[in-house]
Amino acid sequence: MNKLFRLTFIFLVFTSFHPSEKESTLKEPIASISTPTAPQIEVAPIQGELYLRSMFAEFPANSFSWEAFKYAMLGKQSLGEQSNFSKPDILTIIDFSKPSTEERLFVVDLKELKILTRSLVAHGRNTGENWAKNFSNVSGSYQSSLGFYKTAETYYGSKGFSMRLDGLEPNINNLARSRAIVVHAADYVSESFAKAHGRLGRSQGCPALPNNMNKKIIQQIEGGSLLFIYAPVDQYLNTSKVLKSSDINAFAPSIGTNSAIAKG
């Protein structure tokens, strides 16, 4: 029985519990039988968020933030089948709410609810020093771009084994390919560099990886998986059409399914 099935079972048991009709009747005052009751206030359903939080709780506390995970999953649900992901259970989260000196790239197996790989990752030189703060979709900005990407083909270039990315959000990251925003290895992405400089080195906007992790990570995610770069930036969160078209309640588990992500 995989983790998603167990989570769904526990969630359904918890949320479907109601007092018996007999018990409810005994707790009502007799006068209420003939007295009109006040209209019930409709409360927005929160099952979807509860289920996502139960999924998030399966991951180590020192990994990505709840916000990074929540928005990544909302984007996955919103994009659905329209982007034709060949690896639908693989999700890469780059959490720029963390400093560059900490691991902030995570390759996640959503079927097993586990982190396959975690790594340091650099941001663009004009995005910030140790913290990623400024983002752009403009060529020559040397800034990182937030949002959702589809991983694409691999190649050997000036940075060695690399992987192209296709941005899925107009005016946010859709110029990634023309800007040559790719995943590649770099000497400046290492613990020794971070200790010496108080931060990682910075790229021209690419999510650069350590030399010893680059090939492994690219081979895990290449050729059609979802990659999400997150930072707590209101301008992005409020303007992303992918996030605006998402529905968190689509993650509420249904009886007869063992996977909430099947809806996304």
Side-chain angles (χ1 to χ4, degrees):
M1 182 183 297
N2 61 37
K3 289 184 179 180
L4 277 175
F5 183 82
R6 290 191 285 107
L7 284 172
T8 304
F9 179 77
I10 294 170
F11 182 89
L12 288 173
V13 171
F14 177 78
T15 57
S16 62
F17 175 77
H18 299 285
S20 67
E21 183 179 347
K22 180 178 181 181
E23 181 181 0
S24 299
T25 303
L26 291 175
K27 288 183 179 180
E28 289 183 1
I30 296 176
S32 68
I33 297 175
S34 57
T35 302
T37 59
Q40 297 295 312
I41 299 175
E42 185 175 351
V43 178
I46 58 173
Q47 290 90 344
E49 181 168 346
L50 288 174
Y51 189 79
L52 278 185
R53 284 190 177 275
S54 70
M55 292 176 67
F56 176 70
E58 293 290 312
F59 299 104
N62 66 339
S63 55
F64 40 78
S65 65
W66 155 245
E67 290 78 14
F69 178 74
K70 176 181 72 172
Y71 289 120
M73 293 300 290
L74 286 173
K76 176 177 171 56
Q77 181 270 329
S78 177
L79 291 166
E81 297 179 356
Q82 64 179 283
S83 296
N84 191 28
F85 295 108
S86 62
K87 298 178 179 179
D89 294 324
I90 298 297
L91 169 66
T92 304
I93 298 175
I94 297 179
D95 187 357
F96 279 162
S97 69
K98 306 177 72 172
S100 70
T101 49
E102 296 182 15
E103 292 176 327
R104 51 185 184 168
L105 180 146
F106 305 88
V107 180
V108 179
D109 183 332
L110 292 174
K111 186 175 183 179
E112 298 297 329
L113 291 182
K114 66 180 182 180
I115 296 173
L116 299 178
T117 308
R118 53 196 300 159
S119 173
L120 296 170
V121 60
H123 54 253
R125 70 179 63 168
N126 290 333
T127 285
E129 293 289 326
N130 192 28
W131 295 86
K133 298 180 179 180
N134 307 303
F135 304 90
S136 175
N137 192 38
V138 177
S139 179
S141 66
Y142 291 172
Q143 292 182 0
S144 301
S145 300
L146 297 175
F148 295 91
Y149 298 78
K150 184 177 181 180
T151 65
E153 73 275 13
T154 61
Y155 67 98
Y156 283 89
S158 60
K159 302 292 194 301
F161 187 58
S162 306
M163 179 185 68
R164 291 191 171 89
L165 296 170
D166 289 313
L168 302 178
E169 302 202 64
N171 302 318
I172 294 174
N173 64 18
N174 64 310
L175 299 181
R177 183 173 282 262
S178 63
R179 291 179 62 200
I181 301 300
V182 303
V183 178
H184 64 78
D187 294 335
Y188 52 74
V189 186
S190 66
E191 291 184 3
S192 59
F193 190 102
K195 288 178 181 178
H197 300 274
R199 59 166 172 79
L200 293 183
R202 294 158 300 163
S203 67
Q204 295 183 358
C206 300
L209 300 174
N211 288 316
N212 64 335
M213 298 294 293
N214 182 62
K215 187 172 184 178
K216 175 183 178 181
I217 291 173
I218 287 178
Q219 289 178 334
Q220 286 177 328
I221 69 177
E222 66 175 307
S225 67
L226 182 64
L227 182 148
F228 176 57
I229 300 179
Y230 167 78
V233 176
D234 288 341
Q235 182 179 2
Y236 167 71
L237 298 176
N238 293 332
T239 59
S240 170
K241 292 182 180 180
V242 173
L243 293 179
K244 282 186 175 181
S245 61
S246 65
D247 178 12
I248 197 168
N249 288 305
F251 289 96
S254 302
I255 296 175
T257 180
N258 65 350
S259 174
I261 64 172
K263 297 184 178 183

